[in-house]
Amino acid sequence: MEAPRLVASDVDGTLLGEDHEVSPRTAAVIGRLVARGVPFVLVTGRPPRWIPPVATQLGVVRYAVCANGAVLYDVEADRIVGSRPLHPEDLVRLEQAVAEALPGATLGVERVGEHAFDDQVAQFVAEPDYEHAWPGGGPPTEERERLLAHPAVKLLVRAKGMSSDAMAAVLEPLVGDTVDITFSHPGGLIEVAPAGVSKATGLRDLMERTPEFAGIAADEVVAFGDMPNDVAMLRWAGHGVAMGNAHPEVVAAADETTATNVDDGLALVLERWF
């Protein structure tokens, strides 16, 4: 394809190395493409509050699509510009399916307010026995009934000891197309969004409502990813790129596979044009 008019990238396992840093080579090529008027958008499963440390490393990120497409975030203005939540009735129905398919699994929810950090909203809350999949302190806790009583942009289902692939396989037949199930962590954690919400729909929604992206078509987008939550975006974009460390499902969906995230795979592709 010709030089893209928009570049979209997943964050963990794609843009960032194992040290959670953007390499100098990757930062340099992103700086060059933005200087030429090509937007660079973060499209991630991360919530908005986990975006500023990444955006600060680059200094050129205006927008991020968060929570696997459920949240649109204006990084510069620190403002949530759109969200598509699961409602309490959806969460209760999901809880019943989880109890049947994955007995013993624990739940957490992501919520958003008006900003990345909003004191008016308890943003990530989980059951008392929920074990975080990433290093660091545990989230604030609530009992399950209260946990499910408020809208959430993502339901997290944790079943330590199972693979995320296996979890999705047993839960999907019970929920059908009423929600979207994906994962970005292989070790017993699946992420549930409203039906029809994906990184592809989130990026498309952002482009449609943002004047800076007017006139850019899907086939003019290059997108990068490494995990199943990236598949829809890579298929939708004009050119989808799987990282060398990508899940097999991502490799199968992509137009090409580049080097790994620790070997500047993203930069290797973008340097063709910038």
Side-chain angles (χ1 to χ4, degrees), residues 69-137:
V71 180
L72 309 181
Y73 176 50
D74 184 328
V75 180
E76 289 187 3
D78 183 26
R79 184 169 62 91
I80 307 301
V81 296
S83 66
R84 296 178 65 182
L86 291 158
H87 296 287
E89 56 271 26
D90 303 317
L91 295 169
V92 171
R93 186 176 64 253
L94 281 165
E95 185 269 341
Q96 294 168 349
V98 168
E100 180 179 345
L102 298 163
T106 53
L107 307 178
V109 295
E110 284 282 359
R111 304 167 182 155
V112 292
E114 296 182 359
H115 310 284
F117 296 93
D118 194 326
D119 293 339
Q120 304 304 309
V121 178
Q123 294 174 307
F124 179 38
V125 187
E127 294 182 278
D129 51 352
Y130 181 97
E131 185 174 338
H132 210 306
W134 291 275

Side-chain angles (χ1 to χ4, degrees), residues 36-48:
R36 286 178 52 178
V38 177
F40 181 80
V41 179
L42 300 175
V43 188
T44 177
R46 289 186 179 210

Side-chain angles (χ1 to χ4, degrees), residues 7-270:
V7 176
S9 178
D10 173 52
V11 173
D12 299 287
T14 301
L15 175 67
L16 302 183
E18 297 305 307
D19 58 359
H20 305 292
E21 299 290 325
V22 181
S23 75
R25 181 177 178 180
T26 297
V29 71
I30 292 171
R32 292 195 297 272
L33 70 90
V34 173
R36 286 178 52 178
V38 177
F40 181 80
V41 179
L42 300 175
V43 188
T44 177
R46 289 186 179 210
R49 67 181 183 281
W50 285 10
I51 295 301
V54 180
T56 298
Q57 292 185 53
L58 294 170
V60 293
V61 176
R62 172 67 191 272
Y63 294 104
V65 177
C66 301
N68 295 324
V71 180
L72 309 181
Y73 176 50
D74 184 328
V75 180
E76 289 187 3
D78 183 26
R79 184 169 62 91
I80 307 301
V81 296
S83 66
R84 296 178 65 182
L86 291 158
H87 296 287
E89 56 271 26
D90 303 317
L91 295 169
V92 171
R93 186 176 64 253
L94 281 165
E95 185 269 341
Q96 294 168 349
V98 168
E100 180 179 345
L102 298 163
T106 53
L107 307 178
V109 295
E110 284 282 359
R111 304 167 182 155
V112 292
E114 296 182 359
H115 310 284
F117 296 93
D118 194 326
D119 293 339
Q120 304 304 309
V121 178
Q123 294 174 307
F124 179 38
V125 187
E127 294 182 278
D129 51 352
Y130 181 97
E131 185 174 338
H132 210 306
W134 291 275
T141 61
E142 292 179 351
E143 295 301 324
R144 182 171 290 194
E145 182 177 356
R146 186 175 177 188
L147 191 77
L148 306 178
H150 303 280
V153 293
K154 186 196 296 187
L155 176 72
L156 298 100
V157 184
R158 184 82 164 108
K160 189 178 178 183
M162 290 186 70
S163 72
S164 301
D165 281 292
M167 292 176 65
V170 296
L171 184 58
E172 283 172 344
L174 297 183
V175 298
D177 59 1
T178 62
V179 292
D180 270 57
I181 295 175
T182 189
F183 60 91
S184 58
H185 187 290
L189 178 66
I190 56 175
E191 305 165 34
V192 188
V197 172
S198 69
K199 288 188 176 185
T201 63
L203 183 57
R204 185 193 65 205
D205 290 348
L206 179 67
M207 292 170 63
E208 289 177 349
R209 66 191 298 166
T210 306
E212 296 99 305
F213 302 155
I216 300 175
D219 62 6
E220 297 174 302
V221 177
V222 169
F224 296 82
D226 73 304
M227 289 296 283
N229 62 334
D230 297 310
V231 165
M233 176 175 69
L234 268 58
R235 287 177 173 160
W236 173 85
H239 193 72
V241 183
M243 305 305 292
N245 50 289
H247 188 283
E249 186 179 342
V250 181
V251 173
D255 296 296
E256 74 166 294
T257 301
T258 185
T260 69
N261 60 319
V262 298
D263 293 319
D264 289 312
L266 185 146
L268 283 168
V269 174
L270 294 179

